[in-house]
Amino acid sequence: MLVLSLIGATEEESDVPVIYLYDMGRQESRALDNTIGASSLFWIDAETLGFMIEVQGHNYRLMQICLPTGEVTPLLLKA
């Protein structure tokens, strides 16, 4: 069973949140790439997680991550 958690620190930057995936069966966790600064997590479907990330100052972008592949893409594209 996998569990997601958002923590308030990374190895790179002590006060920036990152999304971690915790595998309860293996009792180990790993940071999901390209999720540093993530906030406001929500499920899109069983394998996709949505989140917001700060991109410039107080500007935010809505993103999604496919958990099986780790691919991070924008959720909404500008027209």
Side-chain angles (χ1 to χ4, degrees), residues 15-49:
D15 62 347
V16 179
V18 65
I19 301 171
Y20 271 79
L21 189 63
Y22 181 77
D23 185 329
M24 291 181 67
R26 295 182 182 175
Q27 296 186 353
E28 56 188 39
S29 63
R30 64 180 173 89
L32 299 178
D33 291 336
N34 301 314
T35 64
I36 294 175
S39 64
S40 303
L41 305 176
F42 59 95
W43 288 103
I44 295 172
D45 60 35
E47 296 184 339
T48 310
L49 183 68

Side-chain angles (χ1 to χ4, degrees), residues 61-79:
R61 180 171 290 156
L62 199 54
M63 305 295 285
Q64 64 184 359
I65 183 166
C66 177
L67 296 176
T69 67
E71 181 181 10
V72 175
T73 56
L75 186 57
L76 300 173
L77 300 175
K78 292 182 181 180

